[in-house]
Coordinates of all heavy atoms in Angstrom, one line a residue:
M17 N 0.9 -1.2 0.0 CA 0.0 0.0 0.0 C 0.9 1.2 0.0 O 1.7 1.4 0.9 CB -0.8 -0.1 1.3 CG -2.2 0.6 1.3 SD -3.3 0.3 0.0 CE -4.4 1.7 0.3
P18 N 0.7 2.1 -1.0 CA 1.5 3.3 -0.9 C 1.2 4.2 0.3 O 0.1 4.2 0.7 CB 1.2 4.0 -2.3 CG -0.1 3.4 -2.7 CD -0.2 2.0 -2.1
E19 N 2.3 4.9 0.7 CA 2.1 5.8 1.9 C 1.3 7.0 1.5 O 0.7 7.7 2.4 CB 3.5 6.3 2.4 CG 4.3 5.2 2.9 CD 5.7 5.7 3.3 OE1 5.8 6.9 3.5 OE2 6.6 4.9 3.3
H20 N 1.2 7.3 0.2 CA 0.7 8.6 -0.1 C -0.8 8.6 -0.6 O -1.3 9.5 -1.2 CB 1.5 9.3 -1.2 CG 1.8 8.3 -2.4 ND1 0.8 7.9 -3.3 CD2 2.9 7.7 -2.7 CE1 1.3 7.1 -4.1 NE2 2.6 6.9 -3.9
G21 N -1.5 7.6 -0.2 CA -3.0 7.6 -0.4 C -3.4 7.0 -1.8 O -2.6 6.4 -2.4
P22 N -4.6 7.3 -2.2 CA -5.2 6.6 -3.3 C -4.4 6.9 -4.6 O -3.9 8.1 -4.8 CB -6.6 7.2 -3.4 CG -6.9 7.8 -2.1 CD -5.6 8.1 -1.5
A23 N -4.1 5.9 -5.4 CA -3.4 6.1 -6.7 C -4.0 7.2 -7.5 O -3.3 7.9 -8.2 CB -3.2 4.8 -7.4
A24 N -5.4 7.3 -7.5 CA -6.0 8.2 -8.4 C -5.6 9.7 -8.1 O -5.6 10.5 -8.9 CB -7.5 8.1 -8.2
A25 N -5.2 9.9 -6.8 CA -4.8 11.3 -6.5 C -3.3 11.6 -7.0 O -2.9 12.8 -7.0 CB -4.8 11.5 -5.0
W26 N -2.6 10.5 -7.3 CA -1.2 10.7 -7.7 C -1.0 9.8 -9.0 O -0.4 8.8 -8.9 CB -0.2 10.3 -6.6 CG -0.3 11.2 -5.4 CD1 -1.0 11.0 -4.3 CD2 0.3 12.5 -5.3 NE1 -0.9 12.1 -3.5 CE2 0.0 13.0 -4.1 CE3 1.2 13.2 -6.2 CZ2 0.4 14.3 -3.7 CZ3 1.6 14.5 -5.7 CH2 1.2 15.0 -4.5
P27 N -1.4 10.3 -10.1 CA -1.2 9.6 -11.4 C 0.3 9.5 -11.6 O 0.9 10.6 -11.8 CB -1.9 10.3 -12.4 CG -2.0 11.8 -11.9 CD -2.1 11.6 -10.4
G28 N 1.0 8.4 -11.6 CA 2.4 8.3 -11.7 C 3.0 8.3 -10.3 O 2.5 7.6 -9.4
H29 N 4.1 9.0 -10.2 CA 4.8 9.0 -8.9 C 4.8 10.4 -8.3 O 4.5 11.4 -9.0 CB 6.3 8.6 -9.1 CG 6.4 7.2 -9.6 ND1 6.1 6.1 -8.8 CD2 6.7 6.7 -10.8 CE1 6.2 5.0 -9.5 NE2 6.6 5.3 -10.7
R30 N 5.2 10.5 -7.0 CA 5.2 11.8 -6.3 C 6.6 12.4 -6.3 O 7.5 11.7 -6.0 CB 4.7 11.6 -4.9 CG 4.8 12.8 -4.1 CD 4.4 12.6 -2.6 NE 3.0 12.2 -2.4 CZ 2.3 12.4 -1.4 NH1 2.8 13.0 -0.3 NH2 1.1 12.0 -1.3
L31 N 6.6 13.6 -6.7 CA 7.9 14.4 -6.7 C 7.8 15.4 -5.5 O 6.9 16.2 -5.5 CB 8.1 15.1 -8.0 CG 9.3 16.1 -8.1 CD1 10.6 15.4 -7.8 CD2 9.3 16.8 -9.4
T32 N 8.8 15.4 -4.7 CA 8.9 16.3 -3.6 C 10.1 17.2 -3.9 O 11.2 16.8 -4.2 CB 9.1 15.7 -2.2 OG1 8.0 14.8 -2.0 CG2 9.2 16.7 -1.1
L33 N 9.8 18.6 -4.0 CA 10.9 19.5 -4.2 C 11.4 20.2 -3.0 O 10.6 20.8 -2.2 CB 10.4 20.6 -5.2 CG 10.0 20.2 -6.6 CD1 9.3 21.3 -7.3 CD2 11.2 19.8 -7.3
L34 N 12.7 20.0 -2.7 CA 13.3 20.7 -1.5 C 13.9 22.0 -2.0 O 14.4 22.0 -3.1 CB 14.3 19.8 -0.9 CG 13.7 18.4 -0.4 CD1 14.9 17.6 0.3 CD2 12.6 18.6 0.6
P35 N 14.1 23.0 -1.2 CA 13.8 23.0 0.3 C 12.3 23.3 0.6 O 11.9 23.2 1.8 CB 14.7 24.1 0.8 CG 14.7 25.1 -0.3 CD 14.7 24.2 -1.6
A36 N 11.5 23.7 -0.4 CA 10.1 24.1 0.0 C 9.2 23.0 0.4 O 8.3 23.2 1.2 CB 9.5 24.8 -1.2
G37 N 9.5 21.8 -0.1 CA 8.7 20.7 0.3 C 7.4 20.5 -0.5 O 6.5 19.8 -0.2
W38 N 7.4 21.2 -1.7 CA 6.2 21.1 -2.6 C 6.2 19.7 -3.1 O 7.2 19.1 -3.4 CB 6.3 22.1 -3.7 CG 6.2 23.5 -3.3 CD1 5.4 24.0 -2.4 CD2 7.0 24.6 -3.8 NE1 5.6 25.4 -2.3 CE2 6.6 25.7 -3.1 CE3 8.1 24.7 -4.7 CZ2 7.2 27.0 -3.4 CZ3 8.6 25.9 -5.0 CH2 8.2 27.1 -4.3
Q39 N 4.9 19.2 -3.2 CA 4.7 17.8 -3.8 C 3.8 17.9 -5.0 O 2.8 18.6 -5.0 CB 4.2 16.9 -2.7 CG 5.1 16.7 -1.5 CD 4.6 15.8 -0.5 OE1 3.4 15.6 -0.4 NE2 5.5 15.1 0.2
L40 N 4.2 17.1 -6.0 CA 3.4 17.1 -7.2 C 3.5 15.8 -7.9 O 4.5 15.0 -7.7 CB 3.9 18.2 -8.2 CG 5.4 18.2 -8.5 CD1 5.6 17.9 -9.9 CD2 6.0 19.6 -8.1
P41 N 2.5 15.4 -8.7 CA 2.5 14.1 -9.4 C 3.4 14.2 -10.7 O 3.4 15.3 -11.3 CB 1.1 13.9 -9.8 CG 0.5 15.2 -9.9 CD 1.2 16.1 -8.9
V42 N 4.1 13.1 -11.0 CA 4.8 13.0 -12.3 C 4.1 11.9 -13.1 O 4.4 10.7 -12.7 CB 6.3 12.7 -12.1 CG1 7.0 12.6 -13.4 CG2 7.0 13.7 -11.1
P43 N 3.4 12.2 -14.1 CA 2.7 11.2 -14.9 C 3.8 10.3 -15.6 O 4.9 10.8 -15.9 CB 1.9 12.0 -15.9 CG 1.7 13.3 -15.3 CD 2.9 13.6 -14.5
A44 N 3.5 9.1 -15.7 CA 4.4 8.2 -16.4 C 4.8 8.7 -17.8 O 4.0 9.2 -18.5 CB 3.7 6.8 -16.6
G45 N 6.1 8.7 -18.0 CA 6.7 9.1 -19.3 C 6.9 10.6 -19.4 O 7.3 11.1 -20.5
K46 N 6.4 11.4 -18.4 CA 6.6 12.9 -18.5 C 7.8 13.3 -17.7 O 8.2 12.7 -16.7 CB 5.4 13.6 -17.9 CG 4.1 13.3 -18.7 CD 4.1 13.9 -20.1 CE 2.8 13.8 -20.7 NZ 2.8 14.3 -22.1
S47 N 8.5 14.3 -18.2 CA 9.7 14.8 -17.5 C 9.3 15.5 -16.2 O 8.2 15.9 -16.0 CB 10.5 15.8 -18.4 OG 9.8 17.0 -18.4
L48 N 10.3 15.6 -15.3 CA 10.1 16.3 -14.0 C 9.8 17.7 -14.3 O 9.0 18.3 -13.6 CB 11.3 16.1 -13.1 CG 11.8 14.7 -12.9 CD1 12.9 14.6 -11.9 CD2 10.6 13.7 -12.4
L49 N 10.5 18.3 -15.3 CA 10.2 19.7 -15.6 C 8.8 19.9 -16.1 O 8.1 20.9 -15.6 CB 11.2 20.2 -16.7 CG 11.0 21.6 -17.2 CD1 11.3 22.6 -16.0 CD2 12.0 21.9 -18.3
H50 N 8.3 19.0 -17.0 CA 6.9 19.1 -17.5 C 6.0 19.0 -16.3 O 5.0 19.8 -16.2 CB 6.7 18.0 -18.4 CG 5.3 17.8 -18.9 ND1 4.9 18.4 -20.2 CD2 4.2 17.3 -18.4 CE1 3.6 18.1 -20.3 NE2 3.1 17.5 -19.3
A51 N 6.2 18.1 -15.4 CA 5.3 17.9 -14.2 C 5.3 19.1 -13.4 O 4.2 19.5 -12.9 CB 5.7 16.6 -13.5
A52 N 6.5 19.7 -13.2 CA 6.5 20.9 -12.3 C 5.7 22.1 -13.0 O 4.9 22.7 -12.3 CB 8.0 21.3 -12.1
I53 N 5.9 22.3 -14.3 CA 5.2 23.3 -15.0 C 3.7 23.1 -14.8 O 2.9 24.0 -14.6 CB 5.6 23.4 -16.4 CG1 7.1 23.9 -16.5 CG2 4.7 24.3 -17.2 CD1 7.8 23.8 -17.8
A54 N 3.3 21.8 -15.0 CA 1.8 21.5 -15.0 C 1.3 21.8 -13.6 O 0.1 22.1 -13.4 CB 1.6 20.0 -15.4
A55 N 2.1 21.7 -12.6 CA 1.7 22.0 -11.2 C 1.9 23.4 -10.8 O 1.7 23.8 -9.6 CB 2.5 21.1 -10.3
G56 N 2.3 24.3 -11.7 CA 2.5 25.7 -11.4 C 3.8 26.0 -10.7 O 3.9 27.0 -10.0
I57 N 4.8 25.2 -10.9 CA 6.1 25.5 -10.3 C 7.1 25.6 -11.4 O 7.2 24.8 -12.4 CB 6.5 24.3 -9.4 CG1 5.5 24.2 -8.2 CG2 7.9 24.4 -8.9 CD1 5.7 23.0 -7.4
Q58 N 7.9 26.7 -11.3 CA 8.9 27.0 -12.3 C 10.2 26.6 -11.8 O 10.7 26.9 -10.7 CB 8.9 28.5 -12.6 CG 9.9 29.0 -13.6 CD 9.8 30.4 -13.9 OE1 9.3 31.2 -13.1 NE2 10.2 30.8 -15.1
L59 N 10.9 25.8 -12.7 CA 12.3 25.3 -12.4 C 13.2 26.0 -13.5 O 12.7 26.3 -14.6 CB 12.4 23.8 -12.6 CG 11.6 22.9 -11.6 CD1 11.8 21.5 -11.9 CD2 12.1 23.2 -10.2
P60 N 14.4 26.2 -13.2 CA 15.3 26.8 -14.2 C 15.4 25.9 -15.4 O 15.4 24.6 -15.2 CB 16.7 26.8 -13.5 CG 16.4 26.7 -12.0 CD 15.1 26.0 -11.9
S61 N 15.3 26.4 -16.6 CA 15.4 25.6 -17.8 C 15.8 26.5 -19.0 O 15.5 27.7 -18.9 CB 14.1 24.8 -18.0 OG 13.1 25.7 -18.4
S62 N 16.3 25.8 -20.0 CA 16.5 26.6 -21.2 C 16.2 25.6 -22.4 O 15.2 25.7 -23.1 CB 17.9 27.1 -21.3 OG 18.1 27.8 -22.4
C63 N 17.2 24.7 -22.7 CA 17.1 23.9 -23.9 C 16.0 22.9 -23.8 O 15.3 22.5 -24.8 CB 18.4 23.2 -24.1 SG 18.7 21.8 -23.0
R64 N 15.7 22.3 -22.7 CA 14.7 21.3 -22.4 C 15.0 20.0 -23.2 O 14.0 19.2 -23.5 CB 13.3 21.8 -22.7 CG 12.9 22.9 -21.8 CD 11.5 23.4 -21.9 NE 11.2 24.5 -21.0 CZ 10.0 25.0 -20.8 NH1 9.0 24.5 -21.4 NH2 9.9 26.0 -20.0
N65 N 16.2 19.8 -23.6 CA 16.6 18.6 -24.3 C 17.8 17.9 -23.7 O 18.4 17.0 -24.3 CB 16.7 18.8 -25.8 CG 17.9 19.7 -26.1 OD1 18.8 19.9 -25.3 ND2 17.9 20.2 -27.3
G66 N 18.2 18.3 -22.5 CA 19.3 17.6 -21.8 C 20.7 18.1 -22.2 O 21.6 17.3 -21.9
T67 N 20.8 19.2 -22.8 CA 22.2 19.6 -23.2 C 22.7 20.8 -22.5 O 23.9 20.9 -22.2 CB 22.3 19.9 -24.7 OG1 21.3 20.9 -25.1 CG2 22.0 18.6 -25.5
C68 N 21.9 21.8 -22.1 CA 22.4 23.1 -21.6 C 22.8 23.0 -20.1 O 23.5 23.8 -19.6 CB 21.5 24.2 -21.9 SG 20.0 24.2 -20.7
R69 N 22.2 22.1 -19.4 CA 22.4 21.9 -17.9 C 21.8 23.0 -17.1 O 22.1 23.1 -15.9 CB 23.9 21.7 -17.6 CG 24.5 20.6 -18.4 CD 26.0 20.6 -18.4 NE 26.6 20.8 -17.1 CZ 27.1 19.7 -16.4 NH1 27.0 18.5 -16.8 NH2 27.6 19.9 -15.2
A70 N 21.0 23.9 -17.6 CA 20.4 25.0 -16.8 C 19.5 24.4 -15.7 O 19.3 25.1 -14.7 CB 19.6 25.9 -17.7
C71 N 19.0 23.2 -15.9 CA 18.0 22.7 -15.0 C 18.6 21.8 -13.9 O 17.9 21.2 -13.1 CB 16.9 21.9 -15.7 SG 17.6 20.4 -16.6
L72 N 19.9 21.7 -13.9 CA 20.6 20.8 -13.0 C 20.1 20.8 -11.6 O 19.9 21.9 -11.0 CB 22.1 21.2 -13.0 CG 23.1 20.2 -12.5 CD1 23.2 19.0 -13.4 CD2 24.5 20.9 -12.4
A73 N 19.8 19.6 -11.0 CA 19.3 19.5 -9.7 C 19.8 18.2 -9.1 O 20.4 17.4 -9.8 CB 17.7 19.4 -9.7
R74 N 19.7 18.1 -7.8 CA 20.3 16.9 -7.1 C 19.2 16.0 -6.6 O 18.3 16.4 -6.0 CB 21.2 17.3 -5.9 CG 22.0 16.1 -5.4 CD 22.7 16.4 -4.1 NE 23.8 17.3 -4.3 CZ 25.1 16.8 -4.5 NH1 25.3 15.6 -4.5 NH2 26.0 17.7 -4.6
L75 N 19.3 14.7 -7.0 CA 18.4 13.7 -6.6 C 18.7 13.3 -5.2 O 19.9 12.8 -4.9 CB 18.4 12.5 -7.5 CG 17.5 11.3 -7.2 CD1 16.1 11.7 -7.4 CD2 17.9 10.2 -8.1
V76 N 17.8 13.4 -4.2 CA 18.0 13.1 -2.8 C 17.6 11.6 -2.6 O 18.3 10.9 -1.9 CB 17.2 14.0 -1.9 CG1 17.3 13.5 -0.4 CG2 17.6 15.4 -2.0
S77 N 16.4 11.2 -3.2 CA 16.0 9.9 -3.1 C 15.1 9.5 -4.2 O 14.4 10.4 -4.8 CB 15.3 9.6 -1.7 OG 14.1 10.3 -1.7
G78 N 15.1 8.2 -4.6 CA 14.2 7.7 -5.6 C 15.0 7.3 -6.9 O 16.2 7.5 -6.9
D79 N 14.3 6.8 -7.8 CA 14.9 6.4 -9.1 C 14.3 7.1 -10.3 O 13.1 7.2 -10.4 CB 14.7 4.8 -9.3 CG 15.4 4.0 -8.2 OD1 16.6 4.3 -8.0 OD2 14.7 3.2 -7.6
I80 N 15.2 7.5 -11.2 CA 14.7 8.2 -12.4 C 15.1 7.4 -13.6 O 15.9 6.5 -13.5 CB 15.3 9.6 -12.5 CG1 16.9 9.5 -12.6 CG2 14.9 10.5 -11.4 CD1 17.5 10.7 -13.3
V81 N 14.5 7.8 -14.7 CA 14.9 7.2 -16.0 C 15.0 8.4 -17.0 O 14.2 9.4 -16.9 CB 13.9 6.2 -16.5 CG1 12.5 6.8 -16.7 CG2 14.3 5.6 -17.9
Y82 N 16.0 8.4 -17.9 CA 16.1 9.5 -18.8 C 15.3 9.2 -20.0 O 15.2 8.1 -20.5 CB 17.6 9.8 -19.1 CG 18.3 10.6 -18.0 CD1 19.2 10.0 -17.2 CD2 17.9 11.9 -17.9 CE1 19.7 10.7 -16.2 CE2 18.5 12.6 -16.8 CZ 19.4 12.0 -16.0 OH 20.0 12.8 -15.0
L83 N 14.7 10.3 -20.6 CA 13.9 10.2 -21.8 C 14.7 10.4 -23.1 O 14.2 10.3 -24.1 CB 12.8 11.3 -21.7 CG 11.9 11.2 -20.5 CD1 11.0 12.4 -20.4 CD2 11.1 9.9 -20.4
V84 N 16.0 10.7 -22.9 CA 17.0 10.8 -24.0 C 18.1 9.8 -23.8 O 18.4 9.5 -22.6 CB 17.4 12.2 -24.2 CG1 16.3 13.2 -24.5 CG2 18.2 12.7 -23.0
D85 N 18.8 9.5 -24.8 CA 19.9 8.5 -24.7 C 21.1 9.1 -24.0 O 21.9 8.4 -23.3 CB 20.3 8.0 -26.1 CG 19.2 7.1 -26.7 OD1 18.5 6.5 -25.9 OD2 19.2 7.0 -27.9
W86 N 21.4 10.4 -24.2 CA 22.6 11.0 -23.8 C 22.4 12.3 -23.0 O 22.7 13.4 -23.5 CB 23.6 11.2 -25.0 CG 23.9 10.0 -25.7 CD1 23.4 9.6 -26.9 CD2 24.9 9.0 -25.3 NE1 23.9 8.4 -27.3 CE2 24.8 8.0 -26.3 CE3 25.7 8.8 -24.2 CZ2 25.6 6.8 -26.3 CZ3 26.4 7.6 -24.1 CH2 26.4 6.7 -25.1
P87 N 21.9 12.2 -21.8 CA 21.7 13.4 -21.0 C 23.1 14.0 -20.7 O 24.1 13.3 -20.6 CB 21.0 13.0 -19.7 CG 21.3 11.5 -19.6 CD 21.4 11.0 -21.1
G88 N 23.2 15.3 -20.7 CA 24.5 16.0 -20.6 C 25.1 16.0 -19.2 O 25.3 17.1 -18.6
L89 N 25.4 14.8 -18.7 CA 26.0 14.7 -17.4 C 27.2 13.8 -17.5 O 27.1 12.8 -18.2 CB 25.0 14.1 -16.4 CG 23.8 15.0 -15.9 CD1 22.8 14.1 -15.1 CD2 24.3 16.1 -15.0
L90 N 28.2 14.0 -16.7 CA 29.3 13.1 -16.6 C 29.0 12.0 -15.7 O 28.1 12.1 -14.8 CB 30.6 13.9 -16.0 CG 31.0 15.1 -16.9 CD1 32.1 15.8 -16.1 CD2 31.5 14.6 -18.2
A91 N 29.7 10.9 -15.8 CA 29.4 9.7 -14.9 C 29.6 10.1 -13.5 O 28.8 9.7 -12.6 CB 30.3 8.6 -15.3
D92 N 30.6 10.9 -13.2 CA 30.9 11.3 -11.8 C 29.7 12.2 -11.3 O 29.3 12.0 -10.1 CB 32.1 12.2 -11.7 CG 33.4 11.4 -11.8 OD1 33.2 10.1 -11.8 OD2 34.5 12.0 -11.8
E93 N 29.1 13.0 -12.1 CA 28.0 13.8 -11.7 C 26.8 13.0 -11.4 O 26.1 13.2 -10.4 CB 27.7 14.9 -12.8 CG 28.8 15.9 -12.9 CD 28.6 16.8 -14.1 OE1 28.1 16.4 -15.2 OE2 28.9 18.0 -14.0
K94 N 26.6 12.0 -12.3 CA 25.4 11.1 -12.0 C 25.6 10.3 -10.7 O 24.7 10.2 -9.9 CB 25.4 10.1 -13.2 CG 24.8 10.6 -14.5 CD 24.7 9.5 -15.5 CE 24.2 10.0 -16.8 NZ 24.2 9.0 -17.9
A95 N 26.9 9.9 -10.5 CA 27.2 9.2 -9.2 C 26.9 10.0 -8.0 O 26.6 9.5 -6.9 CB 28.6 8.6 -9.2
E96 N 27.1 11.4 -8.2 CA 26.9 12.3 -7.1 C 25.4 12.7 -6.9 O 25.1 13.4 -6.0 CB 27.8 13.6 -7.3 CG 29.3 13.3 -7.1 CD 30.1 14.5 -7.6 OE1 29.5 15.5 -8.0 OE2 31.3 14.3 -7.6
G97 N 24.6 12.2 -7.8 CA 23.2 12.5 -7.7 C 22.7 13.6 -8.5 O 21.5 13.9 -8.4
W98 N 23.5 14.2 -9.3 CA 23.0 15.3 -10.2 C 22.1 14.7 -11.3 O 22.5 13.7 -11.9 CB 24.2 16.1 -10.8 CG 25.0 16.8 -9.7 CD1 26.2 16.4 -9.2 CD2 24.5 18.0 -9.0 NE1 26.5 17.3 -8.2 CE2 25.6 18.3 -8.1 CE3 23.4 18.8 -9.0 CZ2 25.5 19.3 -7.2 CZ3 23.3 19.8 -8.2 CH2 24.3 20.1 -7.3
I99 N 21.0 15.4 -11.6 CA 20.1 15.0 -12.6 C 19.7 16.2 -13.5 O 19.9 17.3 -13.1 CB 18.9 14.3 -12.0 CG1 18.0 15.3 -11.2 CG2 19.2 13.0 -11.3 CD1 16.7 14.8 -10.8
L100 N 19.1 15.9 -14.6 CA 18.6 17.0 -15.5 C 17.1 16.8 -15.6 O 16.6 15.9 -16.3 CB 19.2 16.8 -16.9 CG 20.7 17.1 -16.9 CD1 21.3 16.8 -18.3 CD2 21.1 18.5 -16.5
P101 N 16.3 17.5 -14.8 CA 14.9 17.3 -14.7 C 14.1 17.5 -16.0 O 13.0 17.0 -16.2 CB 14.4 18.4 -13.7 CG 15.6 18.6 -12.9 CD 16.8 18.5 -13.8
C102 N 14.7 18.2 -17.0 CA 14.0 18.4 -18.3 C 13.9 17.2 -19.1 O 13.0 17.0 -20.0 CB 14.7 19.5 -19.1 SG 16.3 19.1 -19.8
V103 N 14.8 16.2 -18.8 CA 14.8 14.9 -19.6 C 14.7 13.7 -18.7 O 15.0 12.6 -19.2 CB 16.0 14.8 -20.6 CG1 15.8 15.8 -21.7 CG2 17.3 15.1 -19.8
A104 N 14.4 13.9 -17.4 CA 14.3 12.8 -16.5 C 12.9 12.6 -16.1 O 12.1 13.5 -15.9 CB 15.1 13.1 -15.2
S105 N 12.4 11.3 -16.0 CA 11.1 11.0 -15.5 C 11.3 10.1 -14.3 O 12.4 9.7 -14.0 CB 10.3 10.3 -16.6 OG 9.0 10.2 -16.2
A106 N 10.2 9.8 -13.6 CA 10.2 9.1 -12.3 C 10.0 7.6 -12.5 O 9.0 7.2 -13.2 CB 9.2 9.7 -11.4
L107 N 10.8 6.8 -11.9 CA 10.5 5.4 -11.7 C 10.0 5.0 -10.4 O 9.6 3.9 -10.1 CB 11.8 4.6 -12.0 CG 12.3 4.6 -13.5 CD1 13.6 3.7 -13.6 CD2 11.2 4.0 -14.4
S108 N 10.0 6.0 -9.5 CA 9.5 5.8 -8.1 C 9.2 7.2 -7.6 O 9.4 8.2 -8.2 CB 10.6 5.2 -7.2 OG 11.7 6.1 -7.0
D109 N 8.7 7.3 -6.4 CA 8.5 8.6 -5.8 C 9.9 9.2 -5.6 O 10.9 8.4 -5.4 CB 7.8 8.4 -4.4 CG 6.4 8.1 -4.5 OD1 5.9 8.1 -5.6 OD2 5.8 7.9 -3.4
L110 N 10.0 10.5 -5.8 CA 11.3 11.2 -5.8 C 11.4 12.3 -4.8 O 10.4 13.0 -4.6 CB 11.6 11.7 -7.2 CG 11.6 10.8 -8.4 CD1 11.8 11.7 -9.7 CD2 12.7 9.8 -8.3
V111 N 12.6 12.6 -4.4 CA 12.8 13.8 -3.6 C 14.0 14.5 -4.3 O 15.0 13.8 -4.5 CB 13.1 13.6 -2.1 CG1 13.5 14.9 -1.5 CG2 12.0 12.9 -1.4
I112 N 13.9 15.7 -4.8 CA 15.0 16.4 -5.4 C 15.2 17.8 -4.7 O 14.3 18.4 -4.2 CB 14.9 16.6 -6.9 CG1 13.8 17.5 -7.3 CG2 14.7 15.2 -7.6 CD1 13.8 17.9 -8.8
E113 N 16.5 18.2 -4.7 CA 16.8 19.5 -4.3 C 16.8 20.5 -5.5 O 17.5 20.3 -6.4 CB 18.2 19.6 -3.7 CG 18.3 18.9 -2.3 CD 19.7 19.0 -1.8 OE1 20.6 19.6 -2.4 OE2 20.0 18.3 -0.8
A114 N 15.9 21.5 -5.4 CA 15.8 22.5 -6.5 C 15.6 23.8 -5.9 O 14.5 24.4 -5.8 CB 14.6 22.1 -7.4
P115 N 16.7 24.4 -5.3 CA 16.5 25.6 -4.5 C 16.0 26.8 -5.4 O 15.5 27.8 -4.8 CB 18.0 25.9 -4.0 CG 18.8 24.9 -4.7 CD 18.1 23.9 -5.3
A116 N 16.1 26.8 -6.7 CA 15.6 27.9 -7.5 C 14.2 27.7 -7.9 O 13.7 28.6 -8.6 CB 16.6 28.0 -8.7
A117 N 13.5 26.7 -7.5 CA 12.1 26.5 -7.8 C 11.3 27.6 -7.3 O 11.5 28.1 -6.2 CB 11.6 25.2 -7.3
R118 N 10.3 28.1 -8.1 CA 9.4 29.2 -7.7 C 8.0 28.8 -8.2 O 7.8 28.2 -9.2 CB 9.8 30.5 -8.5 CG 11.2 31.0 -8.2 CD 11.2 31.7 -6.9 NE 12.6 32.2 -6.6 CZ 13.5 31.5 -5.9 NH1 13.2 30.3 -5.5 NH2 14.7 32.0 -5.7
Q119 N 7.1 29.2 -7.3 CA 5.7 29.0 -7.7 C 5.3 30.1 -8.7 O 5.7 31.3 -8.6 CB 4.8 29.1 -6.5 CG 4.8 27.8 -5.6 CD 3.8 27.8 -4.5 OE1 3.7 28.7 -3.8 NE2 3.0 26.7 -4.5
M120 N 4.6 29.7 -9.8 CA 4.2 30.6 -10.8 C 2.9 31.3 -10.5 O 2.1 30.7 -9.8 CB 4.1 29.9 -12.2 CG 5.4 29.4 -12.7 SD 5.3 28.7 -14.4 CE 4.6 27.1 -14.1
G121 N 2.7 32.5 -11.0 CA 1.4 33.1 -10.9 C 1.3 33.8 -9.5 O 0.4 34.1 -9.0
Ligands
LIG30 S1 16.9 22.7 -19.6 FE1 18.8 22.3 -20.7 S2 19.6 20.5 -19.8 FE2 17.6 20.8 -18.8

């Protein structure tokens, strides 16, 4: 049984953004950036294809999958938990550090 209640309330997985603690759903196959925008949260971004690194954030917990073959990260950076939310989707509930996240509107 998931800790976060009925699946219908969370289509996909739950993303928690630190330090604010905002929580939002990540639909299967959608990027974390897409999910944030849909939830009214702005994350830094530019290219949205995994090359510019403007969206760089750190994965605190959970598992991601990349939607592109070659996200612009070094192996060392991946090992340290750095991710690119514009091309990453969720394989589990996630917690990421995104200090520049802002609520839109
Ligand atoms: S917005 Fe360019 S790498 Fe994510």
Side-chain angles (χ1 to χ4, degrees):
M17 204 51 194
E19 293 175 24
H20 49 70
W26 293 97
H29 297 290
R30 175 185 294 208
L31 171 61
T32 300
L33 294 171
L34 299 180
W38 295 318
Q39 296 185 330
L40 54 112
V42 183
K46 297 293 186 185
S47 74
L48 307 184
L49 178 64
H50 176 100
I53 292 169
I57 296 171
Q58 184 175 24
L59 296 176
S61 69
S62 182
C63 72
R64 300 188 180 187
N65 65 18
T67 57
C68 77
R69 300 163 54 94
C71 63
L72 198 65
R74 189 190 288 267
L75 181 65
V76 176
S77 67
D79 295 311
I80 61 153
V81 60
Y82 281 108
L83 304 172
V84 297
D85 290 336
W86 300 103
L89 288 171
L90 300 172
D92 285 354
E93 292 172 325
K94 288 183 183 176
E96 291 169 2
W98 294 105
I99 63 169
L100 296 174
C102 70
V103 287
S105 191
L107 289 179
S108 70
D109 288 353
L110 303 175
V111 178
I112 69 171
E113 286 179 7
R118 299 281 180 269
Q119 283 187 310
M120 294 188 279

